[in-house]
C-alpha cells in the first residue's frame, strides 16, 4: 500500500505560538495550499527550537559570525541569544529531532520559516541583533538538506507543492 508523501512544516507557519516572542507567523500567502495539505493530513508540524528544549517565549537567537547553520554543525560558528548565552546545543538537538521526525514519516520535503536561525532556507540574520539579513541557512535547514530533504521557505509554497505533487505522481 502506498501513502501520499507528507511534508514537514514549521509550527509557527501553522499558527502555533512557538516563536521566540511567543507569537506565531501564520502563513497567509498561498494559504490555500496549506489548507489543502492540512485537509489531506499531509502536514507534520515541528518547531525545532522548542523540540530542542528551548522555552516559549525565549530570547531571540542568531548564528554568530555572519555564518550559517552548516558552520554550526562543523563547530565553526555558534548560535547565541541576545543575552549572550550559547544556545547551540538546543539548536543542534532540535535539528536532530526534526530529522528523526522526517525520517519516521518518510518525509522528503520541508517548508520552514525564512530568516530563522533554525529554519531559514536562504536567509538568516547576521548575528549582530541589528535586524540585518544575509544569505544563509539555519541549523535545521542545513541538517535536513544534508540528509536529502528538500527545504523551501513559506515564500515558496507553490514550488514545494509542485515538488510534492511530482513525488506523489499527481497532476498540477
Amino acid at each position: 500500500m502506498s501513502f501520499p508523501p507528507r511534508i514537514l512544516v514549521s509550527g509557527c507557519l501553522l499558527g502555533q505560538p512557538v516563536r521566540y516572542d511567543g507569537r506565531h507567523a501564520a502563513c497567509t500567502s498561498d494559504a490555500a495550499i496549506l489548507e489543502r495539505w492540512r485537509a489531506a493530513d499531509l502536514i507534520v508540524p515541528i518547531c525545532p527550537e522548542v523540540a530542542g528544549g528551548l522555552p516559549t517565549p525565549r530570547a531571540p537567537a542568531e548564528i554568530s559570525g555572519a555564518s550559517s547553520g552548516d558552520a554550526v554543525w562543523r563547530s565553526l560558528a555558534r548560535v547565541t541569544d541576545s543575552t549572550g548565552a550559547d544556545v547551540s546545543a538546543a539548536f543542534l538537538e532540535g535539528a536532530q529531532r526534526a530529522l528523526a521526525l522526517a525520517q519516521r514519516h518518510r518525509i522528503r520535503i520541508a517548508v520552514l520559516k525564512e530568516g530563522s536561525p533554525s529554519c531559514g532556507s536562504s536567509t538568516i540574520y547576521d548575528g549582530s541583533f541589528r535586524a540585518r539579513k544575509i544569505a544563509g541557512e539555519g541549523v535545521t535547514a542545513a541538517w535536513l538538506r544534508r540528509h536529502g530533504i528538500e527545504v523551501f521557505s513559506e515564500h515558496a509554497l507553490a514550488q514545494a507543492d509542485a515538488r510534492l505533487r511530482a513525488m506523489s505522481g499527481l497532476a498540477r
Side-chain angles (χ1 to χ4, degrees), residues 145-169:
R145 282 181 171 146
R146 185 185 287 186
H147 290 87
I149 296 171
E150 294 181 64
V151 179
F152 297 86
S153 80
E154 72 274 22
H155 307 298
L157 281 177
Q159 293 91 329
D161 190 50
R163 285 295 297 137
L164 189 66
R165 287 172 174 270
M167 286 178 185
S168 58

Side-chain angles (χ1 to χ4, degrees), residues 100-120:
L101 185 63
Q103 290 173 332
R104 186 167 52 254
H105 290 281
R106 297 187 181 120
I107 290 171
R108 295 173 41 209
I109 296 175
V111 173
L112 304 177
K113 178 67 183 128
E114 192 64 84
S116 160
S118 287
C119 297

Side-chain angles (χ1 to χ4, degrees), residues 2-170:
S2 178
F3 295 97
R6 298 187 80 195
I7 189 162
L8 192 71
V9 179
S10 291
C12 64
L13 296 176
L14 301 170
Q16 297 175 2
V18 292
R19 287 173 46 93
Y20 73 92
D21 58 6
R23 297 180 181 183
H24 63 76
C27 196
T28 55
S29 66
D30 291 324
I33 293 171
L34 283 177
E35 282 309 310
R36 184 169 25 83
W37 292 348
R38 196 179 315 215
D41 194 31
L42 301 180
I43 295 175
V44 176
I46 182 115
C47 173
E49 295 170 26
V50 172
L54 294 174
T56 302
R58 57 191 168 274
E62 297 183 7
I63 298 173
S64 63
S67 201
S68 71
D70 187 59
V72 176
W73 283 104
R74 293 182 293 133
S75 300
L76 300 174
R78 58 194 181 108
V79 184
T80 56
D81 71 19
S82 60
T83 72
D86 184 340
V87 291
S88 300
F91 277 73
L92 294 168
E93 175 68 21
Q96 290 172 331
R97 289 177 183 249
L99 177 62
L101 185 63
Q103 290 173 332
R104 186 167 52 254
H105 290 281
R106 297 187 181 120
I107 290 171
R108 295 173 41 209
I109 296 175
V111 173
L112 304 177
K113 178 67 183 128
E114 192 64 84
S116 160
S118 287
C119 297
S121 62
S122 62
T123 61
I124 55 173
Y125 289 93
D126 72 356
S128 69
F129 295 95
R130 293 188 180 130
R132 292 192 301 229
K133 289 186 179 182
I134 59 170
E137 62 188 352
V139 175
T140 297
W143 194 238
L144 294 176
R145 282 181 171 146
R146 185 185 287 186
H147 290 87
I149 296 171
E150 294 181 64
V151 179
F152 297 86
S153 80
E154 72 274 22
H155 307 298
L157 281 177
Q159 293 91 329
D161 190 50
R163 285 295 297 137
L164 189 66
R165 287 172 174 270
M167 286 178 185
S168 58
L170 299 174

